[in-house]
């Protein structure tokens, strides 16, 4: 059995060799496909990419307080206005905290008013002490004059001196008392400010039990049901996302462009977007954003890198929904009245780029300068319009050499 297989394989190899020799050296020459060099009115080069429809503006709405969702006023697809109440979280705890904070502020403000009264009383006491000091000082001055004149007994002189010293001490005591009550007033005012801040925090938490829409738009995603518990995000733990509100007055096609294409793109390049959901309809748009860095790779073995590109769709697109898959063609170059050949007709030989020109049933390798690529055609310069060239098959083009005999298929 093995010997029969070997004989059969040998026969096939021999037949194949004979066929190749006949093809290359026969009277008809190598069988090739030919085509004339053609001039087209406009050659366009595109970058194609796939992605999905996204809203230009959207907001993922979470909760700043923890609690049970006791009321849900919208459903997916509803239109909402900025400031509209969308849901309510159980306000009992937040309301109690706000009431307690308000009562605390009231008590602290009463303490501050009492401290202010004490300051005013201390200021009056200091003024009185200073008045007595002034009077005692005047008496002391007169006593000194009378004593020098020998008209005042020593006892009266001593009494005036002690009165002056006592008045000075009383001023110092009154000043110290005033400073003490002023410090108490400052501390009371700071406690009051702290209480007011706590009241503001409590009132803010109470207000946030009402979930409102931050922008005008459409509820494009609703992830909760009435009665569920919602939590707020802490540190690296994300909180509950209740819903997403999207402004669909303008939408983008967010696509992933290959790294080989992204350097050819620039903002404001025109694009055409098609959707799998609407295969017979095309949307026009323009590139508005090109990613500055590559997207994270899905796996360690991923070879090609991709960049995010956003295309803003022209005109109203309110019928579209975020998440719809789309394909995008971005026009990156265009040549008017361009001379073109099939892309596979351009080959490399001896470090030169060129095409095989067919003349008198033989081929001549002719160097050309290439331009933009549009679909399966490429712009060339170096051959005349209407010149017949070899366009295939691909394997034959790889093996073809200058002056080979050929015949058209």
């Amino acid at each position: 059995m093995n010997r029969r297989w070997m004989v059969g394989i040998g026969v096939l190899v021999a037949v194949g060799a004979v066929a190749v020799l006949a093809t290359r050296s026969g009277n008809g020459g190598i069988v090739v496909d030919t085509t004339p060099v053609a001039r087209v009115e406009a050659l366009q080069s595109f970058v194609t990419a796939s992605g999905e429809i996204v809203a230009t503006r959207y907001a993922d709405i979470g909760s700043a307080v923890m609690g049970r969702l006791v009321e849900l006023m919208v459903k997916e697809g509803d239109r909402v206005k900025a400031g509209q109440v969308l849901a309510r979280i159980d306000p009992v705890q937040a309301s109690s905290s706000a009431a307690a904070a308000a009562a605390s502020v009231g008590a602290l403000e009463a303490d501050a008013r009492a401290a202010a009264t004490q300051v005013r009383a201390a200021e009056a006491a200091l003024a009185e002490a200073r008045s007595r000091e002034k009077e005692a000082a005047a008496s002391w001055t007169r006593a000194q004059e009378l004593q020098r004149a020998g008209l005042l007994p020593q006892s009266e002189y001593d009494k005036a001196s002690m009165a002056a010293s006592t008045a000075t001490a009383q001023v110092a005591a009154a000043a110290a008392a005033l400073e003490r009550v002023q410090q108490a007033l400052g501390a009371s005012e700071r406690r009051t400010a702290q209480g007011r801040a706590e009241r503001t925090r409590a009132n803010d938490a109470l207000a946030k039990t009402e979930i409102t829409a931050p922008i005008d738009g459409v509820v494009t995603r609703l992830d909760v049901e009435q009665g569920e518990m919602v939590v707020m995000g802490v540190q690296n733990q994300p909180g509950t996302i209740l819903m997403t509100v999207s402004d669909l007055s303008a939408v983008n096609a967010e696509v992933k462009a290959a790294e080989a294409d992204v350097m050819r793109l620039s903002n404001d390049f025109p694009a055409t977007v098609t959707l799998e959901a609407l295969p017979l309809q095309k949307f026009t748009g323009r590139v508005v954003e090109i990613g500055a860095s590559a997207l994270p790779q899905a796996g360690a073995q991923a070879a090609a890198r991709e960049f995010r590109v956003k295309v803003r769709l022209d005109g109203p697109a309110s019928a579209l929904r975020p998440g719809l898959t789309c394909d995008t063609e971005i026009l990156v170059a265009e040549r008017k009245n361009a001379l073109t050949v099939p892309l596979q007709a351009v080959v490399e030989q001896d470090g030169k780029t060129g095409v095989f020109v067919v003349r008198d049933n033989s081929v001549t390798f002719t160097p050309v300068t290439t331009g933009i690529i549009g679909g399966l055609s490429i712009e060339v310069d170096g051959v005349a319009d209407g010149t017949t060239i070899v366009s295939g098959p691909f394997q034959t083009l790889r093996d073809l050499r200058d002056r080979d005999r050929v015949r058209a298929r």
Side-chain angles (χ1 to χ4, degrees):
M1 179 64 72
N2 290 338
R3 184 177 180 182
R4 290 181 181 179
W5 275 106
M6 292 176 62
V7 171
I9 292 172
V11 171
L12 289 175
V13 170
V15 171
V18 170
V20 170
L21 289 173
T23 300
R24 294 190 61 88
S25 60
N27 293 333
I30 302 171
V31 178
V32 295
D33 297 325
T34 62
T35 188
V37 178
R39 192 173 294 279
V40 297
E41 182 177 349
L43 179 65
Q44 296 179 325
S45 179
F46 294 93
V47 165
T48 60
S50 299
E52 63 179 2
I53 298 297
V54 298
T56 304
R57 294 174 62 225
Y58 66 90
D60 288 332
I61 301 175
S63 175
V65 296
M66 184 171 64
R68 188 173 301 280
L69 193 65
V70 295
E71 198 171 357
L72 188 61
M73 291 86 156
V74 294
K75 60 182 182 299
E76 195 163 323
D78 284 355
R79 288 192 169 275
V80 297
K81 294 288 185 181
Q84 178 180 337
V85 178
L86 308 177
R88 285 192 177 89
I89 295 172
D90 186 2
V92 173
Q93 291 188 5
S95 179
S96 300
S97 297
S104 177
V105 168
L108 292 170
E109 288 175 343
D111 290 343
R113 288 193 297 270
T117 301
Q118 291 177 350
V119 167
R120 291 193 295 270
E123 288 173 343
L126 178 60
E128 182 181 359
R130 283 173 176 168
S131 178
R132 287 196 299 269
E133 180 188 35
K134 186 176 180 181
E135 181 181 356
S139 298
W140 168 237
T141 301
R142 288 194 300 272
Q144 287 177 320
E145 292 174 353
L146 291 171
Q147 201 271 343
R148 282 193 295 269
L151 300 175
L152 186 68
Q154 184 65 36
S155 60
E156 292 296 329
Y157 176 81
D158 292 341
K159 183 178 180 181
S161 176
M162 292 180 62
S165 299
T166 301
T168 300
Q170 288 175 343
V171 168
L178 175 60
E179 183 179 359
R180 185 170 58 254
V181 295
Q182 284 176 334
Q183 291 175 350
L185 175 60
S188 180
E189 288 175 342
R190 289 190 291 273
R191 286 194 297 271
T192 302
Q194 181 180 3
R196 287 171 179 161
E198 180 62 23
R199 181 182 63 184
T200 300
R201 186 202 64 77
N203 287 337
D204 180 65
L206 177 59
K208 287 177 178 176
T209 59
E210 284 192 347
I211 309 298
T212 57
I215 59 173
D216 293 349
V218 176
V219 179
T220 53
R221 189 179 68 176
L222 186 61
D223 293 334
V224 294
E225 296 289 343
Q226 185 170 323
E228 289 185 19
M229 286 292 294
V230 297
V231 297
M232 55 186 178
V234 289
Q235 295 182 350
N236 296 327
Q237 298 297 324
T240 304
I241 299 298
L242 308 181
M243 64 191 76
T244 300
V245 175
S246 303
D247 179 6
L248 299 181
S249 59
V251 298
N252 292 339
E254 190 172 290
V255 298
K256 297 177 182 178
E259 60 181 324
D261 295 327
V262 72
M263 298 304 295
R264 301 165 61 196
L265 298 176
S266 290
N267 284 339
D268 211 39
F269 274 10
T272 302
V273 179
T274 57
L275 283 77
E276 186 175 347
L278 300 170
L280 302 180
Q281 190 171 356
K282 292 185 176 181
F283 298 86
T284 59
R286 290 190 173 274
V287 176
V288 294
E289 186 179 321
I290 302 170
S293 59
L295 294 169
Q297 291 180 292
Q301 302 301 320
R305 306 301 297 270
E306 295 178 316
F307 290 75
R308 179 182 288 108
V309 176
K310 292 183 180 180
V311 174
R312 178 70 49 78
L313 271 60
D314 297 332
S318 57
L320 303 183
R321 291 290 179 267
L324 290 174
T325 57
C326 64
D327 296 312
T328 303
E329 281 190 341
I330 304 171
L331 179 62
V332 296
E334 184 176 18
R335 296 285 188 273
K336 299 292 186 181
N337 198 31
L339 203 62
T340 64
V341 298
L343 184 60
Q344 71 172 17
V346 179
V347 296
E348 293 276 347
Q349 282 205 357
D350 300 326
K352 297 181 179 179
T353 301
V355 296
F356 285 104
V357 175
V358 180
R359 292 192 183 93
D360 299 327
N361 294 328
S362 67
V363 295
T364 302
F365 181 77
T366 304
V368 297
T369 302
T370 59
I372 68 171
I373 298 173
L376 297 178
S377 299
I378 184 171
E379 180 187 17
V380 295
D381 184 25
V383 289
D385 186 9
T387 302
T388 300
I389 62 169
V390 177
S391 60
F394 176 73
Q395 185 60 44
T396 301
L397 275 167
R398 290 183 59 184
D399 299 334
L400 201 60
R401 294 292 179 267
D402 204 25
R403 302 184 183 279
D404 274 355
R405 301 284 297 175
V406 297
R407 60 185 177 89
R409 186 184 301 275

